[in-house]
């Protein structure tokens, strides 16, 4: 099945689109940064890793959400700011016939931190979940020490639902996980913001 979504998504300042080969250097510049990856479930990425992940993103996008209902379906879009990729957002539809629970994630370059760009991209990702993808719940999982990400969840209007203690083995130590989520009925659509 081909992707039925109306991509790219456009926000006030960003174009959220599928990745292209020419994006590798931009992606590497922040996904290869140990500080950026500090609270992410993967180590800093090298070129080969970025290239193979990009191929996986495109393959999943091309397969579409209905290809394999027994597996999660991930969609990763890069955030293009005036021709440069400055971050990426991920939507993961959970397995199951209803496909109405999503997880979202975000990784942005520190070169654009503090301008609200990640929030802008994340809002568009949640809009996508509650709009075309028809979700009823959108959640984010994070290391509770990741306070910048927790503030982003707050800006999205998510509720801090849970704090799971020592449920993730992270490079030699158990770490906690925070779960933040918003329900369809709580989501403030762009026109009501
Ligand atoms: C998490 C992450 C995306 C947050 O980045 P960020 O720069 O804080 O987020 P935004 O781009 O939305 O910017 C928000 C900040 O800009 C400020 N800001 C300025 N203009 C703004 C605007 N127009 N709209 C919203 N916020 C604005 C906000 O006040 C906020 O600052 P504060 O948190 O100090 O109050 C970033 O730290 C990151 O990529 N980290 C590494 C990867 C990671 O950990 N990902 C999450 C895994 S769960």
């Amino acid at each position: 099945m081909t992707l039925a979504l109306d991509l790219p998504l456009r926000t006030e300042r960003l174009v959220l689109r599928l990745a292209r080969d020419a994006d590798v250097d931009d992606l590497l510049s922040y996904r290869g940064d140990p500080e950026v990856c500090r609270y992410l479930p993967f180590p800093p990425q090298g070129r080969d890793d970025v290239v193979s992940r990009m191929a996986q993103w495109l393959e999943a996008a091309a397969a579409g959400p209905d290809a394999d209902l027994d597996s999660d379906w991930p969609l990763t879009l890069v955030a293009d700011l005036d021709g440069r990729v400055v971050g990426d957002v991920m939507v993961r539809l959970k397995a199951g016939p209803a496909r109405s629970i999503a997880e979202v994630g975000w990784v942005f370059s520190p070169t654009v931190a503090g301008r609200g760009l990640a929030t802008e991209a994340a809002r568009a990702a949640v809009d996508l979940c509650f709009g075309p993808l028809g979700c009823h719940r959108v959640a984010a999982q994070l290391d509770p020490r990741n306070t910048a990400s927790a503030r982003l969840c707050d800006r999205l209007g998510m509720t801090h639902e849970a704090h799971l203690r020592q449920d993730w083995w992270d490079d030699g130590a158990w770490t906690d996980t925070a779960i933040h989520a918003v329900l369809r009925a709580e989501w403030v659509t762009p026109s009501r913001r």
Side-chain angles (χ1 to χ4, degrees):
M1 174 186 160
T2 50
L3 192 67
L5 299 173
D6 193 11
L7 297 177
L9 307 177
R10 291 177 195 280
T11 67
E12 197 180 328
R13 292 172 289 180
L14 298 168
V15 178
L16 301 178
R17 58 167 175 78
L18 296 174
R20 304 175 187 137
D21 290 346
D23 298 331
V24 170
D25 286 339
D26 287 345
L27 286 160
L28 197 52
S29 71
Y30 61 92
R31 282 180 159 256
D33 180 340
E35 194 49 41
V36 169
C37 297
R38 186 163 164 209
Y39 297 123
L40 293 176
F42 52 78
Q45 297 174 350
R47 181 171 296 274
D48 289 350
D49 200 0
V50 167
V51 168
S52 83
R53 276 179 193 253
M54 230 175 71
Q56 287 167 20
W57 297 346
L58 296 177
E59 192 183 334
D66 302 326
D68 176 8
L69 297 179
D70 294 330
S71 302
D72 290 357
W73 179 69
L75 175 69
T76 300
L77 299 175
V78 297
D80 183 322
L81 176 70
D82 302 328
R84 179 168 73 104
V85 171
V86 295
D88 51 86
V89 284
M90 183 272 302
V91 166
R92 178 180 294 278
L93 290 188
K94 307 305 278 181
R99 277 263 189 256
S100 79
I101 296 179
E103 190 181 318
V104 285
W106 33 74
V107 188
F108 271 72
S109 167
T111 60
V112 296
R115 294 169 56 186
L117 289 166
T119 304
E120 197 171 305
R123 275 208 182 100
V126 179
D127 275 338
L128 179 71
C129 293
F130 287 130
L133 292 174
C135 294
H136 79 274
R137 170 185 167 86
V138 178
Q141 291 202 38
L142 39 129
D143 186 315
R145 293 171 297 176
N146 193 347
T147 51
S149 201
R151 287 198 297 278
L152 199 162
C153 291
D154 289 345
R155 280 191 292 277
L156 292 176
M158 288 180 162
T159 296
H160 179 192
E161 293 183 341
H163 182 116
L164 311 180
R165 297 176 301 158
Q166 298 192 8
D167 77 318
W168 181 261
W169 181 253
D170 181 24
D171 202 18
W174 288 107
T175 59
D176 297 356
T177 299
I179 298 176
H180 300 245
V182 59
L183 301 178
R184 169 192 278 279
E186 300 164 339
W187 183 240
V188 180
T189 61
S191 57
R192 287 161 55 204
R193 232 170 256 145

